[in-house]
Amino acid sequence: MPILTALKERNNSACELCAATDELSIFEVPPAKEPNSDKSVLVCKTCQSQLDKETPMDNNHWRCLNDSMWSQVPAVQVTAFRVLTRLAKTEGWAQDLLDMFYMEDETKAWAEYGVAADNIEEVAPTRDSNGTVLVAGDNVTLIKDLDVKGAGFTAKRGTPVRNISILDNPDQIEGRVNGVRIVLLTTYLKKMPLFED
């Protein structure tokens, strides 16, 4: 059975998020390796354009999730959870709905995977002085002597900082220097190669 037909049968030819009945299409819920009805949601044009980030979020439109979040369809639950998580940054009602949200563990893991991916896209990556992207666990070296205030020592140029942590601020990382955990500005760091000669 074609996916669109299956989705229309599943929700009586209405958007599974807001219940609109015009201009319906398939929204594949990432990560979907192969298109199928279990990994897709039937959505209207308004929902589709906001889910694809083609148009800005209309916060009031998404109050419809108060009903659709209780769907028994995992793909609908996942989509509702992800939208509510985006809205919860500015909307108290969305956080209230998230606090009530219940999903099976497998569905929740799928939903949270998408939230993590969304956040990666929205937050600027952390880069070293050469523009190389840094991730948690990387090793870096200092490219300049730095006075460590409060610890009473100077971190010398060339000092390795291993297994760094990434912070919310893309201009900073956290790492251990001389046994002391400190925050360092990325402009004074260079990523170490994975395999040194």
Side-chain angles (χ1 to χ4, degrees):
M1 179 186 305
I3 296 171
L4 186 59
T5 306
L7 294 178
K8 284 182 174 180
E9 279 184 19
R10 184 169 80 190
N11 205 49
N12 298 321
S13 295
C15 175
E16 293 183 275
L17 300 175
C18 75
T21 55
D22 295 335
E23 298 185 80
L24 300 175
S25 59
I26 300 167
F27 175 73
E28 290 178 15
V29 184
K33 291 183 178 131
E34 316 180 346
N36 67 58
S37 58
D38 291 339
K39 298 280 185 183
S40 302
V41 179
L42 187 65
V43 295
C44 66
K45 188 176 182 179
T46 303
C47 289
Q48 177 90 44
S49 65
Q50 293 180 52
L51 288 169
D52 289 339
K53 300 181 182 175
E54 292 170 0
T55 58
M57 293 288 275
D58 175 359
N59 298 356
N60 283 328
H61 172 78
W62 293 110
R63 288 183 181 267
C64 61
L65 297 178
N66 191 27
D67 296 324
S68 53
M69 67 184 263
W70 302 110
S71 168
Q72 295 301 304
V73 178
V76 176
Q77 293 174 5
V78 166
T79 306
F81 178 86
R82 290 176 181 174
V83 171
L84 287 171
T85 301
R86 279 169 67 187
L87 292 171
K89 295 171 186 170
T90 56
E91 299 288 330
W93 62 265
Q95 185 58 56
D96 292 342
L97 292 180
L98 274 177
D99 292 342
M100 294 187 286
F101 215 122
Y102 174 78
M103 288 178 282
E104 296 293 333
D105 290 343
E106 187 177 324
T107 306
K108 190 165 176 67
W110 177 18
E112 288 174 343
Y113 172 88
V115 169
D118 252 9
N119 288 338
I120 287 167
E121 289 171 11
E122 289 172 18
V123 175
T126 300
R127 297 179 184 274
D128 72 1
S129 58
N130 295 327
T132 304
V133 175
L134 299 172
V135 295
D138 276 346
N139 300 324
V140 296
T141 55
L142 299 180
I143 61 169
K144 178 182 177 187
D145 290 355
L146 299 174
D147 286 328
V148 182
K149 294 183 170 78
F153 69 88
T154 299
K156 297 289 185 193
R157 179 176 183 237
T159 300
V161 184
R162 301 187 188 283
N163 197 21
I164 64 168
S165 298
I166 301 298
L167 305 176
D168 290 339
N169 182 343
D171 297 328
Q172 300 175 335
I173 60 101
E174 192 175 63
R176 194 173 293 279
V177 177
N178 292 351
V180 179
R181 193 132 185 101
I182 59 173
V183 173
L184 297 161
L185 291 175
T186 55
T187 53
Y188 303 128
L189 305 172
K190 183 174 79 171
K191 183 174 179 175
M192 292 170 63
L194 288 175
F195 302 103
E196 297 182 274
D197 295 330

